[in-house]
């Protein structure tokens, strides 16, 4: 088994790298984690931790698989129950399939309050699930005593209630508190004063708070500030003060500042101290976390006192009484099966109500006693919370396991990397709304049937379970969120009814290796297979009763008429978005509004996620809200006046598209639409000049025929882009050029370019020439070998290349802030002279044999960011960094360039799991018929341990 500690496998971890960064990834790859408990919560945490890429995960779980476990534990199968395997034995192999870089181990021991805990000393993080508070207190004390302390994470899902807890020791260093990339902001002025006041250019928001630190560079006049770190005091969103600048030179122009992120030390109290004086994250202002804390403490104390959880009935006692009743009957049965026993016993359920009532009273007494001893006692106790917890505590609500498992999985990553702010220190989540109105249900609807849905049935009752089984659901997207959703659907038995119900899923994408890091239904053997069909197959492995129909279509106007028409939407009970772009979300929102179908909307961006509930006539729609507009850079900035690396990378990406994709595609389209060269000449003679004629002819005239010509062309392009254009700009606007207002033309943020002289000994220069040559050869169908691409051989070919000298031109330089790029290949009406010249050029190409057969064809290069062997990112990185060097901009590595050029959305499995669980809870609420006040929109940022839930906005109403 290999490790990624030395080198990160970018093909697998690329999306996660952009969330955590390389240093955190490498620290994680050297960490050892211990996890106790592989129930519904434990397996979710284990899945997320293995996908993330720790060095090793040791699991401890001796519980024998039960049929009920199949409703919460997605890595257990019927054969595991039949073979009476432990949860650890059944899960270990399937966990190992998730990530070849993680070593999975099984700890064959029992973890009790009397256990010797010395074995835990080898781990950097210990995770305990579904354990008693007495055991947790002992483990926490042990972890805090170690040097350095071991980070402890604990969690439990008890019915529709859950908690998470973190103790990262007396002192824990947070290396990066937010993960946000520090911005570089241009300076408008710096006063010479005590303190000096810095004002941003164009009133840009600096986003700083008092106490933050910044560093300066490229400041002119007040050069003493360059390279120094200064503590800031916020004055306004656009200004802040720093040190005494009165002794420095006067500020002239230019400069920028950048926030400096310094490690922070956080302190955590022990679990013992936190029991009586808890610090809890506020999740929902409508719920009291203190009551949840009290309820869990009471539940654990009840179990310690009574040796069991409170329950409505004891099955064995029920069976004994039922047998006794049967024996006293005038016509006793010879044999009675379990179902009949339960049914008969339920007839006399009043015998058991006092038992449960006594449990509730005992639980309430414990809660009152704990509350009185608390440092901040509650005025009144919520008996309903205690009742719902008592009713469901012997079960686990699967969607809640997914959400808490995602959140605590992220806490494990924080513990072993120091990346992001850990939980401080308790987190309480519940889905008690799914229980509202069930208090009056007959008790038999919650009774176990010894099947995979017993946990769910105990939480929501048999009628709602039946509705879920008969549900008709349409989900768009089978990526990271889609996979997590399907796993939840399988555990809940959605669309599992033999005759009714169906899940329809669609995704037109195929599986890539980079998907495996967070789309956990996929394995290496699935690469290049359709996402939708593969996800459906993997979901049926979790629950074979599911009815799933998998499509490979895109949901857009082109499929609206014949496939996803109004009739299709009208057949659906609910629609779920698992999409990754705004345009598709808006389209789905319109379709659901048109057909009055509820829509569950969600999305993630790195550690951030959101959930939006959209119910017809109840809530606002997705279209009622507006995402912040994407920041657009004026075309003149990209074209002529770049100021940051974020300007040069899009420029290089645009060069790739125009040079290797758009122009070859234009040529192919031109000849496909206009026929043979003879046909084109005839059209020219009759003044029917085809569009793009001159651009196509220029492309054909400059088309290389050999590898050597490709190399020559690459050097010519180097000179044009990184030498001649700089000379042209400086000839039009010399360094001392002034505007009409008398201001210097070249002042911040404009940077004057400096022409680059090509050098075959410079790796950056040679990377550009090699990658450009290769890409031209690819679209022109010119063969080359690996030896041809070697620097020494390219250098030999360059010796014979004649590069044109620079000649100033009168071409207009765009200075206006034009937001869009003009069509450089657009052509106006052709004059008679133009037509004669075009015919002449085409004849010359014919005479040279370059206007026939293969010369009329090219293969456009389609950008592929995840193939490191195709030179696509090599070209963009080299072109961007050459342009940055020309303008005096700090260059970027291949890693950052790939993210920006590839428009890669940072992603991590933990956020996806947490979001999918919340969406599934809202789905169940909708099917149950919950009112607006019971639904919850959610926003989370796991980097800063933020989870916020709020009531959805009401639907807008218009009086007519």
């Amino acid at each position: 088994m290999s490790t990624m500690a030395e080198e990160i496998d970018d093909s697998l971890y690329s999306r996660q790298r952009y969330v955590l960064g390389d240093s955190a990834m490498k620290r994680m790859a050297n960490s050892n984690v211990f996890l106790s408990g592989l129930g519904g919560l434990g397996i979710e945490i284990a899945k997320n931790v293995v996908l993330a890429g720790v060095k090793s995960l040791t699991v401890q779980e001796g519980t024998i698989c039960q049929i009920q476990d199949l409703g919460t534990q997605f890595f257990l199968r019927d054969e595991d129950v039949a073979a009476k395997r432990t949860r650890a034995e059944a899960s270990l192999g399937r966990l190992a399939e998730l990530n070849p870089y993680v070593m999975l181990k099984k700890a064959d021991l029992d973890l009790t309050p009397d256990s010797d805990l010395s074995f835990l000393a080898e781990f950097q993080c210990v995770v305990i699930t579904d354990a008693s508070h007495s055991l947790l207190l002992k483990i926490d004390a042990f972890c805090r005593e170690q040097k350095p302390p071991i980070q402890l994470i604990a969690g439990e899902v008890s019915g529709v209630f859950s908690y998470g807890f973190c103790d990262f020791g007396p002192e824990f260093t947070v290396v990066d508190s937010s993960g946000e990339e520090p911005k570089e902001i241009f300076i408008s002025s710096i006063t010479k004063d005590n303190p000096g006041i810095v004002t941003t250019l164009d009133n840009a928001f600096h986003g700083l708070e008092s106490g933050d630190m910044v560093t300066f560079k490229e400041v002119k006049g007040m050069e003493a500030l360059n390279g120094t770190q200064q503590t800031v005091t916020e004055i306004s969103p656009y200004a802040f003060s720093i040190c005494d600048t009165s002794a420095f030179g006067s500020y002239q122009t230019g400069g920028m500042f950048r926030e400096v992120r310094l490690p922070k030390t956080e302190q955590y109290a022990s679990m013992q101290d936190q029991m009586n004086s808890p610090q809890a994250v506020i999740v929902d202002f409508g719920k009291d976390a203190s009551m949840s804390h009290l309820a869990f403490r009471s539940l654990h104390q009840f179990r310690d006192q009574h040796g069991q959880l409170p329950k409505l009935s004891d099955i064995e006692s029920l069976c004994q009484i039922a047998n006794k009743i049967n024996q006293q009957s005038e016509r006793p049965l010879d044999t009675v099966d379990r179902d009949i026993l339960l049914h008969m016993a339920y007839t006399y359920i009043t015998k058991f109500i006092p038992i449960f009532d006594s449990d509730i009273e005992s639980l309430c007494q414990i809660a009152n006693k704990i509350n009185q001893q608390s440092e901040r006692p509650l005025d009144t106790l919520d008996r309903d919370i205690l009742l719902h917890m008592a009713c469901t505590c012997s079960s686990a609500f699967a969607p809640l396991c997914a959400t808490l498992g995602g959140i605590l999985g992220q806490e494990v990553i924080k513990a072993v990397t120091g990346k992001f702010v850990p939980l401080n220190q308790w987190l309480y989540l519940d889905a008690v709304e799914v229980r509202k109105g069930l208090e009056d249900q007959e008790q038999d609807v919650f009774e176990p049937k010894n099947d995979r849905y017993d946990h769910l049935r105990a939480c929501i009752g048999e009628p709602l379970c039946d509705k879920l089984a008969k549900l008709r659901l349409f989900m768009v997207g089978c990526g990271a969120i889609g996979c997590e959703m399907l796993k939840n659907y399988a555990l809940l038995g959605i669309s599992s009814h033999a005759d009714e119900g169906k899940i329809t899923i669609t995704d037109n994408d195929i599986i890539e290796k980079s998907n495996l890091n967070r789309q956990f239904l996929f394995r290496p053997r699935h690469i290049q297979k359709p996402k939708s069909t593969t996800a459906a197959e993997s979901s049926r492995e979790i629950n074979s009763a599911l009815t799933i129909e998998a499509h490979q279509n895109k949901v857009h106007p082109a499929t609206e008429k014949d496939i996803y028409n109004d009739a299709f939407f009208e057949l659906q009970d609910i629609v779920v978005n698992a999409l990754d772009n705004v345009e598709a979300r808006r389209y789905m929102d319109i379709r659901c509004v048109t057909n009055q179908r509820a829509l569950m909307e969600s999305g993630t961006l790195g550690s951030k996620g959101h959930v939006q509930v959209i119910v017809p006539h109840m809530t606002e729609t997705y279209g009622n809200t507006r995402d912040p507009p994407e920041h657009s850079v004026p075309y003149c900035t990209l074209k002529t006046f770049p100021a940051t690396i974020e300007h040069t990378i899009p420029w290089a990406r645009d060069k790739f598209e125009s040079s290797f994709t758009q122009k070859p595609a234009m040529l192919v389209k031109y000849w496909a639409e206009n026929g043979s060269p003879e046909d084109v000449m005839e059209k020219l003679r009759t003044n029917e000049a085809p569009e793009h004629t001159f651009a196509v002819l220029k492309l054909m005239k400059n088309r290389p025929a050999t590898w050597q010509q490709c190399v020559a062309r690459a050097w010519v392009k180097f000179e044009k882009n990184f030498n001649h254009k700089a000379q042209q700009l400086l000839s039009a606007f010399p360094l001392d050029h002034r505007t009409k207002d008398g201001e210097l033309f070249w002042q911040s943020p404009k940077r004057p370019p400096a022409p680059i002289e090509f050098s075959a000994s410079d790796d950056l220069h040679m990377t550009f020439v090699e990658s450009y040559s290769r890409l031209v050869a690819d679209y022109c169908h010119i063969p080359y070998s690996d030896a041809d691409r070697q620097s020494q051989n390219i250098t030999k070919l360059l010796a014979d290349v004649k590069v044109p000298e620079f000649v100033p031109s009168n071409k207009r330089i765009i200075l206006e802030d034009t937001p869009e790029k003009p069509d450089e290949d657009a052509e106006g009406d052709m004059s008679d002279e133009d037509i004669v010249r075009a015919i002449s050029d085409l004849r010359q190409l014919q005479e040279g044999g370059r206007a026939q057969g293969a010369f009329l064809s090219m293969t456009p290069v389609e950008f592929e960011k995840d193939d490191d062997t195709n030179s696509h990112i090599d070209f963009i990185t080299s072109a961007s960094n050459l342009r940055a060097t020309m303008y005096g901009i700090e260059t970027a590595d291949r890693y950052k360039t790939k993210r920006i050029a590839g428009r890669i959305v940072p992603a991590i499995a933990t956020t996806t799991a947490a979001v999918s669980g919340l969406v599934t809870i809202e789905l169940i609420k909708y099917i149950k018929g919950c009112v607006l006040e019971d639904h919850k929109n959610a926003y989370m940022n796991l980097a800063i341990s933020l989870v916020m839930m709020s009531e959805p906005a009401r639907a807008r109403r218009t009086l007519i």
Side-chain angles (χ1 to χ4, degrees):
M1 182 170 294
S2 57
T3 175
M4 71 164 184
E6 297 295 327
E7 183 176 346
I8 298 170
D9 184 351
D10 190 66
S11 63
L12 177 64
Y13 291 109
S14 61
R15 291 359 178 222
Q16 182 175 288
R17 285 179 77 182
Y18 294 116
V19 180
L20 300 178
D22 283 5
S23 58
M25 290 284 292
K26 290 178 180 179
R27 286 195 295 272
M28 182 165 56
N30 283 302
S31 63
N32 302 299
V33 177
F34 176 83
L35 170 65
S36 174
L38 284 177
L41 175 60
I43 197 65
E44 286 281 358
I45 298 172
K47 175 252 297 177
N48 294 325
V49 169
V50 171
L51 288 173
V54 296
K55 179 180 179 180
S56 74
L57 175 66
T58 301
V59 298
Q60 179 272 325
E61 173 63 279
T63 305
I64 301 297
C65 298
Q66 303 293 324
I67 189 67
Q68 294 84 359
D69 294 334
L70 302 183
T72 58
Q73 222 275 31
F74 47 82
F75 275 160
L76 301 185
R77 303 290 181 262
D78 289 299
E79 56 266 28
D80 298 321
V81 177
K84 297 184 178 180
R85 299 187 181 102
T86 65
R87 292 174 180 170
E89 291 170 341
S91 303
L92 210 64
R94 297 180 182 111
L95 280 169
E97 286 184 340
L98 294 176
N99 194 332
Y101 295 103
V102 178
M103 184 181 300
L104 270 297
K105 304 176 184 178
K106 180 167 65 74
D108 294 317
L109 51 86
D110 292 327
L111 203 56
T112 69
D114 299 324
S115 298
D116 179 4
L117 300 179
S118 58
F119 74 94
L120 293 176
E122 67 180 274
F123 301 101
Q124 286 76 53
C125 179
V126 170
V127 187
I128 309 294
T129 65
D130 303 324
S132 67
H133 281 176
S134 55
L135 174 59
L136 287 174
L137 289 169
K138 179 178 179 180
I139 294 174
D140 183 60
F142 174 85
C143 290
R144 291 178 69 88
E145 291 169 357
Q146 305 309 301
K147 305 295 181 183
I150 300 171
Q151 281 71 58
L152 173 69
I153 298 169
E156 178 180 345
V157 175
S158 186
V160 295
F161 298 87
S162 70
Y163 80 84
F165 172 79
C166 290
D167 177 5
F168 284 10
E171 290 188 348
F172 179 78
T173 301
V174 178
V175 178
D176 183 351
S177 59
S178 71
E180 302 290 342
E181 187 171 348
K183 294 181 180 179
E184 287 187 341
I185 299 178
F186 288 97
I187 296 168
S188 173
S189 65
I190 306 175
T191 63
K192 189 175 180 178
D193 206 344
N194 185 17
I197 297 176
V198 181
T199 305
T200 63
L201 185 67
D202 297 330
N203 284 338
F205 287 102
H206 54 64
L208 300 171
E209 297 178 357
S210 296
D212 288 344
M213 296 196 71
V214 296
T215 184
F216 292 85
K217 68 178 183 179
E218 300 181 18
V219 176
K220 294 181 180 179
M222 203 174 280
E223 283 86 355
L225 277 178
N226 290 330
T228 66
Q229 291 187 2
Q230 302 291 334
T231 303
V232 310
T233 301
E234 182 184 6
I235 296 175
S236 75
Y238 328 106
F240 56 87
S241 64
I242 50 173
C243 64
D244 181 358
T245 61
S246 58
F248 299 162
S250 297
Y251 174 81
Q252 295 176 5
T253 186
M256 60 181 68
F257 62 86
R258 179 187 179 97
E259 182 184 359
V260 178
R261 300 273 173 80
L262 298 176
K264 295 181 179 179
T265 300
E266 303 286 347
Q267 297 179 336
Y268 293 86
S270 68
M271 177 174 270
Q272 183 67 63
D273 292 338
Q274 280 286 307
M275 282 292 182
N276 292 322
S277 183
Q279 284 183 294
V281 175
I282 297 175
V283 174
D284 187 336
F285 286 101
K287 296 181 178 181
D288 190 347
S290 298
M291 184 62 221
S292 297
H293 181 78
L294 177 60
F296 265 105
R297 285 196 66 190
S298 304
L299 185 69
H300 278 257
Q301 199 167 118
F302 181 98
R303 182 165 54 186
D304 290 343
Q305 291 180 5
H306 296 270
Q308 64 179 22
L309 293 168
K311 50 189 175 179
L312 287 172
S313 56
D314 185 301
I315 292 177
E316 294 306 318
S317 297
L318 283 172
C319 293
Q320 291 172 11
I321 291 181
N323 277 315
K324 185 175 182 180
I325 293 171
N326 183 50
Q327 293 168 6
Q328 294 173 349
S329 299
E330 293 183 5
R331 293 186 297 276
L333 299 172
D334 295 331
T335 58
V336 181
D337 66 31
R338 182 182 178 89
D339 289 337
I340 294 177
L341 281 172
L342 289 173
H343 180 75
M344 290 176 63
Y346 183 73
T347 306
Y348 296 89
I349 194 65
T350 52
K351 294 178 180 288
F352 294 89
I353 291 176
I355 295 175
F356 183 65
D357 282 346
S358 65
D359 283 356
I360 288 293
E361 289 307 317
S362 177
L363 191 64
C364 289
Q365 290 171 10
I366 292 171
N368 275 312
K369 186 175 181 181
I370 294 173
N371 186 50
Q372 291 168 6
Q373 297 172 348
S374 175
E375 291 185 9
R376 296 187 296 272
L378 299 171
D379 295 333
T380 58
L381 301 187
D382 190 333
R383 183 183 174 90
D384 288 342
I385 294 292
L386 295 171
L387 177 62
H388 287 304
M389 182 173 282
C391 289
T392 63
C393 60
S394 60
S395 63
F397 194 40
L400 208 50
C401 293
T403 296
L404 188 62
I407 294 170
L408 295 188
Q410 187 67 52
E411 295 306 305
V412 174
I413 295 173
K414 295 175 186 178
V416 299
T417 66
K419 183 84 172 186
F420 304 148
V421 178
L423 198 62
N424 188 23
Q425 286 187 251
W426 297 92
L427 173 76
Y428 287 95
L429 297 171
D430 68 68
V432 72
E433 294 85 1
V434 302
R435 296 271 310 168
K436 286 190 176 181
L438 300 182
E439 298 88 344
D440 300 327
Q441 293 272 350
E442 296 293 336
Q443 186 52 39
D444 62 340
V445 304
F446 303 103
E447 292 292 350
K449 294 185 177 181
N450 199 35
D451 64 15
R452 64 165 60 233
Y453 305 118
D454 277 355
H455 281 290
L456 181 64
R457 190 176 293 110
C459 292
I460 65 174
E462 180 64 22
L464 189 49
C465 288
D466 191 54
K467 283 185 178 181
L468 294 177
K470 296 177 180 178
L471 196 65
R472 296 184 67 88
L473 181 150
F474 179 40
M475 186 174 76
V476 186
C478 299
I481 291 179
C483 284
E484 291 286 344
M485 296 285 197
L486 285 169
K487 173 258 296 177
N488 295 339
Y489 301 160
L491 294 175
L492 298 172
I494 288 178
S495 304
S496 61
H497 192 277
D499 302 314
E500 302 178 53
K502 182 171 73 171
I503 299 172
T504 304
I505 58 177
T506 188
D507 194 312
N508 65 334
D509 202 1
I510 61 172
I511 299 165
E512 305 288 349
K513 185 178 179 181
S514 61
N515 300 146
L516 305 184
N517 174 240
R518 63 202 181 281
Q519 300 174 20
F520 91 104
L521 293 182
F522 305 144
R523 302 290 181 270
R525 63 180 179 274
H526 297 142
I527 292 174
Q528 295 301 304
K529 291 185 178 181
K531 285 186 176 181
S532 60
T533 55
T534 306
E537 291 170 5
S538 297
S539 301
R540 282 191 285 263
E541 289 179 9
I542 299 174
N543 187 345
S544 60
L546 297 191
T547 301
I548 309 180
E549 183 176 301
H551 300 175
Q552 297 173 47
N553 305 313
K554 189 175 180 180
V555 182
H556 62 156
T559 56
E560 186 175 318
K561 181 179 179 182
D562 298 324
I563 304 175
Y564 306 116
N565 51 26
D566 290 350
F568 173 84
F569 273 88
E570 288 169 2
L571 287 174
Q572 310 306 316
D573 297 315
I574 193 168
V575 179
V576 178
N577 274 353
L579 295 162
D580 60 1
N581 68 88
V582 172
E583 181 182 355
R585 290 186 174 109
R586 286 176 179 162
Y587 176 78
M588 285 300 299
D589 181 61
I590 291 170
R591 298 294 292 133
C592 289
V593 169
T594 301
N595 293 280
Q596 298 190 42
R597 288 295 175 267
L599 174 64
M600 299 291 119
E601 158 59 24
S602 64
T604 67
L605 178 64
S607 61
K608 301 170 186 174
H610 77 270
V611 176
Q612 183 179 1
V613 183
I614 303 167
V615 180
H617 311 298
M618 181 188 289
T619 71
E620 67 177 4
T621 69
Y622 182 81
N624 292 144
T625 61
R626 283 288 180 267
D627 293 314
E630 292 187 11
H631 176 67
S632 60
V633 180
Y635 175 67
C636 69
T637 300
L638 295 179
K639 174 74 174 177
T640 313
F641 304 112
T644 68
I645 198 70
E646 285 77 16
H647 298 157
T648 67
I649 294 173
W651 174 88
R653 176 75 165 85
D654 181 72
K655 282 295 178 185
F656 180 99
E657 287 293 326
S658 63
S659 301
F660 312 123
T661 306
Q662 294 171 359
K663 288 181 178 178
M666 176 184 65
L667 181 140
V668 173
K669 182 180 179 182
Y670 182 91
W671 292 114
E673 292 180 348
N674 297 297
S676 67
E678 290 76 13
D679 294 333
V680 170
M681 284 191 283
E682 182 61 30
K683 291 180 180 180
L684 289 170
R685 293 190 191 100
T686 58
N687 291 320
E688 296 178 8
E691 188 180 12
H692 298 313
T693 294
F694 277 129
V696 168
L697 291 176
K698 180 180 178 182
L699 193 59
M700 293 175 68
K701 285 190 292 183
N702 294 333
R703 177 176 184 151
T706 65
W707 173 252
Q708 183 174 6
Q709 290 176 354
C710 292
V711 172
R713 183 172 175 181
W715 190 8
V716 171
K717 286 294 181 182
F718 180 99
E719 291 294 323
K720 176 185 176 183
N721 288 314
F722 310 118
N723 184 291
H724 293 181
K725 287 195 174 182
Q727 293 190 59
Q728 175 64 31
L729 199 55
L730 291 174
S731 68
F733 305 105
L735 293 178
D736 58 355
H737 183 77
R738 292 183 178 273
T739 66
K740 293 178 181 179
D741 299 329
E743 298 288 334
L744 279 172
F745 181 83
W746 294 109
Q747 62 176 326
S748 183
K750 285 189 177 73
R751 297 170 177 267
I756 298 176
E757 296 296 331
F758 178 79
S759 172
S761 62
D762 191 306
D763 289 341
L764 180 60
H765 298 191
M766 292 301 288
T767 299
F768 175 86
V769 170
E770 186 276 329
S771 58
Y772 189 99
S773 303
R774 181 185 181 186
L775 291 166
V776 171
D778 285 343
Y779 78 69
C780 290
H781 314 140
I782 297 171
Y784 55 86
S785 65
D786 289 342
D788 290 332
R789 295 170 51 207
Q790 292 178 359
S791 295
Q792 61 268 31
N793 292 327
I794 290 177
T795 302
K796 292 177 183 177
L797 297 177
L798 291 173
D800 299 326
V801 176
K802 299 291 185 182
V803 178
E805 295 290 330
F806 166 69
V807 177
S809 74
N810 296 320
K811 190 174 181 180
R812 175 176 173 266
I813 297 174
I814 298 175
L815 300 178
E816 299 83 6
D817 288 347
T818 306
E820 296 181 358
K821 174 186 176 183
D823 185 357
E824 296 178 350
D825 294 318
E827 299 169 356
D829 294 334
M830 297 179 70
S831 66
D832 291 341
E833 291 181 359
D834 291 336
I835 291 173
V836 171
R837 182 158 57 90
I839 293 173
S840 175
D841 289 345
L842 191 49
R843 277 190 181 140
Q844 288 181 16
L845 288 167
Q846 280 186 310
E847 291 169 359
R850 297 170 60 83
Q852 59 185 5
F855 287 97
L856 302 180
S857 174
M858 289 179 174
T859 300
V861 179
E862 298 298 334
F863 177 65
E864 175 49 63
K865 59 184 176 291
D866 289 322
D867 183 354
D868 290 336
T869 66
N870 61 14
S871 294
H872 295 191
I873 296 297
D874 292 333
F875 168 79
I876 293 172
T877 303
S878 60
S880 170
N881 284 340
L882 282 166
R883 186 167 174 82
T885 302
M886 186 172 81
Y887 279 95
I889 299 169
E890 185 177 342
T891 59
D893 59 17
R894 193 177 191 278
Y895 168 64
K896 180 176 181 177
T897 303
K898 178 178 177 179
R899 174 178 64 82
I900 296 174
R903 301 180 180 91
I904 292 175
V905 178
I908 192 168
T910 50
T911 314
T912 306
V915 164
S916 75
L918 294 178
V919 173
T920 307
I921 292 171
E922 296 308 311
L923 183 151
I924 294 173
K925 291 179 188 177
Y926 172 73
I927 300 304
K928 180 178 180 292
C930 285
V931 297
L932 177 70
E933 291 75 13
D934 291 335
H935 282 292
K936 301 293 178 183
N937 285 348
Y939 171 78
M940 65 177 64
N941 185 349
L942 299 187
I944 56 175
S945 298
L946 173 69
V947 183
M948 290 298 297
M949 298 186 188
S950 60
E951 181 183 310
R954 292 184 180 274
R956 298 179 183 179
R957 302 181 186 276
T958 304
L959 294 176
I960 299 176

